[in-house]
Amino acid sequence: AQKVTQAQTEISVVEKEDVTLDCVYETRDTTYYLFWYKQPPSGELVFLIRRNSFDEQNEISGRYSWNFQKSTSSFNFTITASQVVDSAVYFCALSERVSWGKLQFGAGTQVVVTP
Amino acid sequence: EPEVTQTPSHQVTQMGQEVILRCVPISNHLYFYWYRQILGQKVEFLVSFYNNEISEKSEIFDDQFSVERPDGSNFTLKIRSTKLEDSAMYFCASGSGTPNQPQHFGDGTRLSIL
């Protein structure tokens, strides 16, 4: 069963527009971590953010912000004022207490930012 | 900042041949992982390794695959008899094992099976 669902396959925006990436997860654990990773065209995986299941406080870091809602099992990610360098595939991932360390990734969302 | 290094960056192998992918995890990390990403698809967990043994493996990680930490610094993934469908990017990762610390990923090895 799919543990992490990223329904958006691709999002195209023009530079300076905001873009929000959706992530819905499924777990029976009460303790878990959620992550966002970025994969630029060069292929490496870049860690962006993690949140544990007890911390629903949303956060802003520069142009990035996160919206974690346990009630809807969602962990959405927003890039404000997008730039061409933000063009990448973004993956949401889940790590459950029953299996710490095993990251379960969503299918990814391709973000294309055009000038 | 310390990083996970993987070699080679690209490996081309004939079908049926054995291949060994190498990784040097971050030195004070205790947990090691391999993930696979078929082109255009999601990243999939293969195996986790701790205290010189496999702690968890996915259904992808069948008898063709094995992992080893031969010398205390390298962490290897061996595929015994490669198939065309083994073509993918293979990522190594290491971690401290505490859930509040993210895994560190290497840049990956692109494996192409001909």
Side-chain angles (χ1 to χ4, degrees):
Chain A
Q2 191 76 284
K3 291 274 192 171
V4 179
T5 301
Q6 294 179 254
Q8 304 150 308
T9 306
E10 181 172 326
I11 300 175
S12 293
V13 296
V14 177
E15 214 171 11
K16 296 184 185 174
E17 289 183 341
D18 297 349
V19 56
T20 295
L21 309 180
D22 298 335
C23 174
V24 174
Y25 62 93
E26 180 184 332
T27 179
R28 292 184 179 179
D29 263 330
T30 55
T31 304
Y32 51 89
Y33 277 77
L34 294 161
F35 302 80
W36 278 98
Y37 281 85
K38 173 182 178 180
Q39 187 174 44
S42 48
E44 72 272 23
L45 286 167
V46 179
F47 164 75
L48 295 177
I49 182 68
R50 78 177 162 274
R51 265 290 176 266
N52 71 54
S53 50
F54 298 108
D55 182 4
E56 283 194 77
Q57 184 176 353
N58 296 315
E59 188 173 307
I60 297 174
S61 175
R63 294 187 298 109
Y64 297 159
S65 61
W66 298 267
N67 185 351
F68 175 32
Q69 294 194 349
K70 284 177 76 171
S71 60
T72 55
S73 297
S74 66
F75 184 50
N76 297 338
F77 171 67
T78 297
I79 305 171
T80 303
S82 59
Q83 300 174 0
V84 173
V85 293
D86 295 327
S87 296
V89 180
Y90 290 81
F91 291 98
C92 180
L94 167 70
S95 177
E96 300 170 288
R97 184 177 64 175
V98 68
S99 181
W100 285 135
K102 174 184 171 183
L103 289 174
Q104 300 171 80
F105 286 83
T109 298
Q110 172 83 57
V111 173
V112 178
V113 182
T114 52
Chain B
E1 184 176 321
E3 56 182 33
V4 176
T5 56
Q6 290 187 243
T7 54
S9 56
H10 190 190
Q11 173 84 44
V12 182
T13 301
Q14 293 287 332
M15 187 172 62
Q17 295 294 306
E18 174 183 287
V19 66
I20 297 176
L21 309 183
R22 302 181 192 281
C23 169
V24 178
I26 293 173
S27 60
N28 62 346
H29 282 177
L30 302 175
Y31 292 79
F32 315 109
Y33 311 89
W34 283 101
Y35 291 82
R36 179 182 84 173
Q37 185 183 30
I38 294 170
L39 186 63
Q41 298 187 23
K42 69 178 180 180
V43 180
E44 300 172 290
F45 169 80
L46 290 179
V47 66
S48 58
F49 191 86
Y50 169 72
N51 200 24
N52 279 322
E53 59 183 30
I54 291 173
S55 46
E56 186 171 358
K57 61 183 181 180
S58 72
E59 58 191 27
I60 302 169
F61 194 88
D62 61 22
D63 292 342
Q64 294 283 81
F65 292 89
S66 62
V67 289
E68 196 177 32
R69 192 158 157 79
D71 56 13
S73 62
N74 290 285
F75 179 51
T76 62
L77 174 69
K78 182 192 291 186
I79 309 175
R80 259 178 275 283
S81 178
T82 50
K83 310 185 197 82
L84 292 175
E85 54 264 37
D86 293 327
S87 294
M89 180 77 93
Y90 288 81
F91 290 102
C92 173
S94 70
S96 61
T98 54
N100 63 339
Q101 297 296 320
Q103 293 177 23
H104 293 248
F105 281 83
D107 287 347
T109 293
R110 178 159 299 287
L111 177 63
S112 300
I113 307 300
L114 305 178

